[in-house]
Amino acid sequence: MNATSLQRHALTVIVLAQLCGTSLWFSVNGVGLSLSRDLGFSEVDLGRLTLAVQAGFICGTLFIAATGLADRFRASRIFAASCLAGALVNAAFVLAATQFPLAVLLRFATGLCLAGIYPLGMKLVIGWTPKHTGAALSWLVGMLTLGTALPHLLRGSTLGMPWEWPLLGASLLALLGGAMVLRLGDGPHLPPSAGKARLSEGLAALGVKRFRAVAGGYFGHCWELYAFWMLTPFLVMREVERLMASTDLVAWLSFGIIALGLVGCVGGGAVSRHLGSLWVARWALTASGMLCLAYPLLAWAPPGLLLALLFFWGLTVIADSPQFSALAAAAAPRERVGSTLAVMNAIGFALTIPAISLTTTLWSLQELWVLWWLLPGPILGLWALRGVSGSAEPAPARQA
C-alpha cells in the first residue's frame, strides 16, 4: 500500500497498529495459568509482573511529559521505536522467566515502551482525525482493549504448545504495528512542535476546572479497569470449575470478556456523536460501578449467569475511556496536548497499582468479595463529574 492510500485510511492504520503494539501489555497474563503450572507462579507473582508493567508505563509517561518528547518529536517515530524496543524486551522475557527479579525488570521495561505507544497513538489520532475525536478515539481505545485481550486469544489458539509461543507472537505483532505507523507518518492537524517543555506545563491543565473534573472521572475509571482485567481469568476459572468444564475454556472466555470492550468503545463512540462524550462516560461508569457492587452478592447464582455478567462488565468497563480522552484533549492546552495527556495517563495508571496489588493479594482470602475494593473508582469518578456540563466533542483543530 502506497503512502497516499495509507493516509486515506489513516485511522484504520493507527488503530490496527495500536492493536498490535498493545498486545505486549498483558502478554504474560495471557499465559499466566501456564506459568503457574510450569514455573510455580502464584497469583501474587502474576500480580507483581502486571504491577511492573504499570510502573514502567507511569515512569515512561512522566519522562515523556517532563522532556516534552511527545510535543517535540514526530509521534510516528516515537511510536515505531517504542514498538521495536517493546518487542525485543517482551521476547527477552522468554529467556528470563525462571529468574523472577530479572523477569520483573523486563516487564517494567515493557511498560516503559508502552508509554511511547498508547499516549502517542492518541496524539496520532488527533493529528489525523480532528473532527469527532470521541468517536475516533473510541476505535483507538477499543484496539487497546482488543490488544489487551489478544494474549488470551494467542494462548487459546496455541493450547498444547509451549507458553513461549504466544509471547513471541505478541512481539511479532508489535514489530508489525511499529512498521505501519512509521510508514504512515504524522497527521497534518496538530500545531508545530512547542520546543522545550517542563513537567509543570503538562500539569498546568489540572488548574482548569473542567479538565480537573474530567481527569477525576478518568482516575476513578483507571482504579477499576486494570484490576478487573487482571482478575478476569481468576473470575472465569471459578465459574469454569463450577461448571466442571475443561480449563481450556478459560483462555477463550477471558479473551471474549476483555475483547467485548471493543464493542463498548465503538458503540459508545457512535452514541457520543449524538448525546456527547460526557453522557457516555457517565453512564458507562455507572453501569460498571453497579456490577462492582452486585457481582459478589450473586456468588450463589448459576455459573452461566455470572459469566454473562462478566461479558456485560467487559462491555461497559472500558466504554468511558475514549470519551474521557476526548474530553481531556478538548480541555488541554492545544500546544501541549501530548504532554498533558501523558501526565493524565501517568496519574491514572499510578492508581492502578494499589488496585491491582489489593485485589491480587486478597483474592485467595476473599474471592468475589475482593471486587468491592474496585467500588471507590466508579463512585469517586462519578462524584468528580457531578458539576461538568456541556458538549463533549472538541472543536475541529486548525490546520497546522
Side-chain angles (χ1 to χ4, degrees):
M1 187 179 289
N2 59 43
T4 303
S5 180
L6 279 175
Q7 290 170 6
R8 283 201 301 267
H9 302 91
L11 180 60
T12 301
V13 172
I14 295 167
V15 298
L16 288 176
Q18 181 86 339
L19 165 65
C20 293
T22 53
S23 67
L24 300 173
W25 211 310
F26 271 46
S27 59
V28 169
N29 301 76
V31 296
L33 296 178
S34 297
L35 292 175
S36 297
R37 182 187 65 244
D38 298 345
L39 302 182
F41 283 17
S42 67
E43 292 92 345
V44 174
D45 292 331
L46 293 173
R48 286 173 179 163
L49 291 172
T50 303
L51 290 174
V53 178
Q54 304 300 90
F57 182 83
I58 294 161
C59 292
T61 50
L62 287 175
F63 176 77
I64 287 172
T67 59
L69 282 176
D71 297 307
R72 293 168 59 196
F73 299 98
R74 294 174 64 86
S76 56
R77 292 180 181 175
I78 298 174
F79 187 104
S82 299
C83 283
L84 172 60
L88 295 174
V89 170
N90 184 69
F93 181 90
V94 171
L95 302 175
T98 56
Q99 304 173 53
F100 193 73
L102 181 55
V104 170
L105 182 61
L106 288 170
R107 292 309 289 165
F108 177 84
T110 303
L112 287 175
C113 297
L114 286 163
I117 297 173
Y118 179 40
L120 275 297
M122 285 194 288
K123 185 173 182 180
L124 285 165
V125 165
I126 294 166
W128 281 104
T129 314
K131 295 182 179 180
H132 302 296
T133 308
L137 286 175
S138 70
W139 279 100
L140 186 79
V141 180
M143 286 303 176
L144 164 68
T145 306
L146 192 56
T148 300
L150 202 56
H152 296 289
L153 176 62
L154 291 171
R155 174 72 288 189
S157 60
T158 57
L159 286 171
M161 299 181 184
W163 56 263
E164 294 89 346
W165 284 43
L167 289 176
L168 295 175
S171 290
L172 290 174
L173 286 173
L175 291 174
L176 175 62
M180 292 168 66
V181 162
L182 186 62
R183 183 162 177 76
L184 174 67
D186 287 25
H189 300 291
L190 286 175
S193 298
K196 188 176 181 180
R198 297 183 180 86
L199 181 59
S200 59
E201 293 172 339
L203 290 166
L206 291 173
V208 179
K209 182 179 178 181
R210 182 178 177 85
F211 181 87
R212 190 167 60 247
V214 170
Y218 174 76
F219 298 155
H221 152 80
C222 285
W223 176 272
E224 176 195 13
L225 174 64
Y226 277 86
F228 171 72
W229 280 348
M230 175 69 203
L231 289 173
T232 295
F234 302 152
L235 295 167
V236 170
M237 176 64 86
R238 178 183 185 270
E239 306 315 318
V240 167
E241 288 178 342
R242 291 176 67 205
L243 287 168
M244 293 183 290
S246 169
T247 56
D248 291 352
L249 286 173
V250 174
W252 293 105
L253 290 171
S254 297
F255 167 76
I257 289 165
I258 297 173
L260 197 59
L262 170 62
V263 178
C265 287
V266 175
V271 172
S272 74
R273 288 174 174 260
H274 305 288
L275 299 178
S277 292
L278 185 60
W279 189 92
V280 173
R282 278 179 169 149
W283 280 103
L285 201 55
T286 299
S288 62
M290 291 298 295
L291 284 164
C292 275
L293 176 65
Y295 197 92
L297 298 174
L298 297 171
W300 51 269
L305 174 60
L306 290 180
L307 286 172
L309 288 177
L310 286 177
F311 274 96
F312 183 63
W313 202 342
L315 180 77
T316 60
V317 73
I318 188 66
D320 47 357
S321 186
Q323 309 313 320
F324 282 128
S325 296
L327 289 163
R334 193 65 179 160
E335 70 279 5
R336 296 294 184 197
V337 65
S339 296
T340 299
L341 290 176
V343 168
M344 189 180 82
N345 286 159
I347 297 172
F349 279 83
L351 292 171
T352 69
I353 290 180
I356 292 171
S357 182
L358 274 172
T359 52
T360 54
T361 301
L362 296 176
W363 170 259
S364 61
L365 300 174
Q366 299 181 352
E367 284 205 347
L368 296 189
W369 296 105
V370 81
L371 295 172
W372 278 7
W373 289 104
L374 305 186
L375 262 176
I379 290 172
L380 294 177
L382 289 168
W383 182 81
L385 292 173
R386 70 195 186 285
V388 181
S389 61
S391 172
E393 288 294 344
R398 290 193 305 254
Q399 190 84 8

